[in-house]
Short mmCIF file of all heavy atoms in Angstrom, two decimals:
data_model
loop_
_atom_site.label_atom_id
_atom_site.label_comp_id
_atom_site.label_asym_id
_atom_site.label_seq_id
_atom_site.Cartn_x
_atom_site.Cartn_y
_atom_site.Cartn_z
N ALA A 144 106.63 133.58 110.75
CA ALA A 144 105.97 134.52 109.93
C ALA A 144 106.32 135.95 110.31
O ALA A 144 106.63 136.19 111.49
CB ALA A 144 104.44 134.32 110.01
N ALA A 145 106.27 136.81 109.28
CA ALA A 145 106.49 138.26 109.49
C ALA A 145 105.36 138.97 108.92
O ALA A 145 104.65 138.50 108.04
CB ALA A 145 107.89 138.65 108.91
N SER A 146 105.12 140.21 109.33
CA SER A 146 104.06 141.02 108.84
C SER A 146 104.45 141.62 107.44
O SER A 146 105.44 142.21 107.27
CB SER A 146 103.77 142.18 109.79
OG SER A 146 102.79 143.03 109.23
N TYR A 147 103.55 141.40 106.50
CA TYR A 147 103.76 141.88 105.14
C TYR A 147 103.56 143.40 105.07
O TYR A 147 104.23 144.09 104.39
CB TYR A 147 102.79 141.22 104.19
CG TYR A 147 102.86 141.60 102.78
CD1 TYR A 147 103.87 141.14 101.91
CD2 TYR A 147 101.96 142.49 102.19
CE1 TYR A 147 103.99 141.55 100.60
CE2 TYR A 147 102.03 142.91 100.86
CZ TYR A 147 103.07 142.44 100.07
OH TYR A 147 103.14 142.82 98.79
N ASP A 148 102.64 143.89 105.89
CA ASP A 148 102.28 145.31 105.89
C ASP A 148 103.12 146.14 106.84
O ASP A 148 103.07 147.38 106.86
CB ASP A 148 100.81 145.52 106.29
CG ASP A 148 99.90 144.73 105.36
OD1 ASP A 148 100.16 144.73 104.17
OD2 ASP A 148 98.89 144.08 105.87
N GLY A 149 103.99 145.47 107.66
CA GLY A 149 104.79 146.18 108.62
C GLY A 149 104.02 146.58 109.85
O GLY A 149 104.44 147.48 110.62
N GLU A 150 102.85 146.00 110.07
CA GLU A 150 102.03 146.32 111.28
C GLU A 150 102.04 145.09 112.21
O GLU A 150 102.12 143.96 111.77
CB GLU A 150 100.59 146.64 110.83
CG GLU A 150 100.48 147.80 109.91
CD GLU A 150 99.02 147.96 109.41
OE1 GLU A 150 98.13 147.18 109.87
OE2 GLU A 150 98.83 148.86 108.60
N PRO A 151 101.96 145.36 113.52
CA PRO A 151 101.96 144.20 114.46
C PRO A 151 100.61 143.45 114.28
O PRO A 151 99.59 144.03 114.00
CB PRO A 151 102.08 144.88 115.82
CG PRO A 151 101.65 146.26 115.63
CD PRO A 151 101.99 146.61 114.26
N ILE A 152 100.71 142.11 114.55
CA ILE A 152 99.56 141.28 114.49
C ILE A 152 99.43 140.46 115.74
O ILE A 152 100.38 139.80 116.17
CB ILE A 152 99.55 140.34 113.25
CG1 ILE A 152 99.77 141.13 111.95
CG2 ILE A 152 98.34 139.46 113.17
CD1 ILE A 152 100.01 140.26 110.72
N ALA A 153 98.31 140.61 116.44
CA ALA A 153 98.10 139.95 117.75
C ALA A 153 97.92 138.44 117.56
O ALA A 153 97.54 137.91 116.55
CB ALA A 153 96.87 140.57 118.41
N GLY A 154 98.23 137.71 118.65
CA GLY A 154 98.04 136.25 118.69
C GLY A 154 96.59 135.95 118.58
O GLY A 154 95.70 136.67 119.04
N GLY A 155 96.22 134.85 117.85
CA GLY A 155 94.86 134.49 117.61
C GLY A 155 94.26 135.12 116.43
O GLY A 155 93.10 134.73 116.03
N ALA A 156 94.89 136.11 115.82
CA ALA A 156 94.34 136.79 114.67
C ALA A 156 94.37 135.93 113.41
O ALA A 156 95.24 135.06 113.31
CB ALA A 156 95.14 138.07 114.38
N ARG A 157 93.43 136.10 112.54
CA ARG A 157 93.38 135.40 111.27
C ARG A 157 94.23 136.19 110.24
O ARG A 157 94.10 137.40 110.14
CB ARG A 157 91.94 135.28 110.74
CG ARG A 157 91.04 134.59 111.72
CD ARG A 157 90.90 133.24 111.33
NE ARG A 157 89.87 132.61 112.18
CZ ARG A 157 89.87 131.35 112.59
NH1 ARG A 157 90.85 130.61 112.13
NH2 ARG A 157 88.97 130.87 113.32
N VAL A 158 95.05 135.48 109.54
CA VAL A 158 95.91 136.06 108.50
C VAL A 158 95.82 135.26 107.22
O VAL A 158 95.41 134.12 107.20
CB VAL A 158 97.34 136.19 108.97
CG1 VAL A 158 97.51 137.11 110.14
CG2 VAL A 158 97.92 134.79 109.30
N VAL A 159 96.29 135.92 106.18
CA VAL A 159 96.41 135.24 104.88
C VAL A 159 97.90 135.34 104.47
O VAL A 159 98.55 136.35 104.70
CB VAL A 159 95.53 135.83 103.76
CG1 VAL A 159 95.87 137.23 103.43
CG2 VAL A 159 95.50 134.97 102.57
#
Side-chain angles (χ1 to χ4, degrees):
S146 175
Y147 180 77
D148 304 319
E150 298 175 4
I152 303 173
R157 303 262 186 211
V158 294
V159 65

